[in-house]
Amino acid sequence: MVQSRLVAVVLGAAAATGVVNFVAPLSAPRTPGVGLAAQGDAGSFASLTQGAEFDAAPDAQEATSPWKWLAAGLAAGIVAAASSAPAEAKLPTGPEWDLATTAKAPWLQPCKDNKKYHKKFKDAIYKLSTRQKKYTTGGVIAKRFDLEIAQTKRVEEAYGNRLCGKADGTPRTIASGENVRGSIVIPGLMFLYTAGW
């Protein structure tokens, strides 16, 4: 184990040295050009340019290709991945980690079994029926209250299969990635599809 790590480190160092030379090869340092003032008078400049070919453009330093940097990063990543050992994947054990799904969470229960959930809807229906009693039985407003009471009962029945908190009876949105009633998996995928991802 120790020998294999030592070999991996030595190979990594050798690869890193090769990558550095690949990205920026060793070359002789460039000497700066000497200005005319350091060479002497302007007449000597004319004598220098008459006999020799004069190169009007200075030597351009080669630009480093982005492919070289990409290859160097890839090589460094491969060396780092090869030299590191994977961590042992052990899940913690205990009563709180024995939950296979969110439905088995001790703080959640189906809404149809929760007393506080039903009490909220019972209170809402009671308030609507109390307001309805103020109006005549066959009137337009009373019929509107009948529709609201029926809608409240349908909502109570529809949300009965979702998961509610035991403490407050409020339906929960499940964001764990499970495809249960009230999860965000299907709406999230629909959003990504619609957004063009």
Side-chain angles (χ1 to χ4, degrees), residues 50-159:
Q50 288 174 357
E53 294 181 14
F54 182 68
D55 194 12
D59 292 334
Q61 186 178 1
E62 290 184 24
T64 306
S65 171
W67 293 107
K68 288 184 180 180
W69 286 103
L70 182 65
L74 181 64
I78 290 173
V79 168
S83 64
S84 65
E88 294 183 24
K90 290 184 180 178
L91 291 175
T93 58
E96 67 274 1
W97 291 100
D98 290 339
L99 308 171
T101 65
T102 307
K104 294 183 180 178
W107 56 87
L108 296 176
Q109 74 180 128
C111 292
K112 60 185 174 186
D113 299 335
N114 193 315
K115 290 181 181 179
K116 291 184 180 181
Y117 171 77
H118 289 294
K119 184 176 183 332
K120 286 181 181 183
F121 283 100
K122 183 179 175 184
D123 291 345
I125 291 171
Y126 175 76
K127 287 178 183 177
L128 288 171
S129 62
T130 304
R131 289 176 57 198
Q132 183 184 22
K133 290 179 185 176
K134 296 178 182 177
Y135 302 100
T136 58
T137 307
V140 177
I141 298 175
K143 288 181 182 179
R144 178 68 183 155
F145 278 114
D146 285 337
L147 292 174
E148 286 187 34
I149 289 171
Q151 175 67 24
T152 305
K153 288 179 181 178
R154 283 195 303 269
V155 169
E156 180 182 12
E157 186 178 333
Y159 278 85

Side-chain angles (χ1 to χ4, degrees), residues 32-49 54:
V34 179
L36 290 177
Q39 291 179 359
D41 61 346
S44 63
F45 177 70
S47 64
L48 287 175
T49 58
F54 182 68

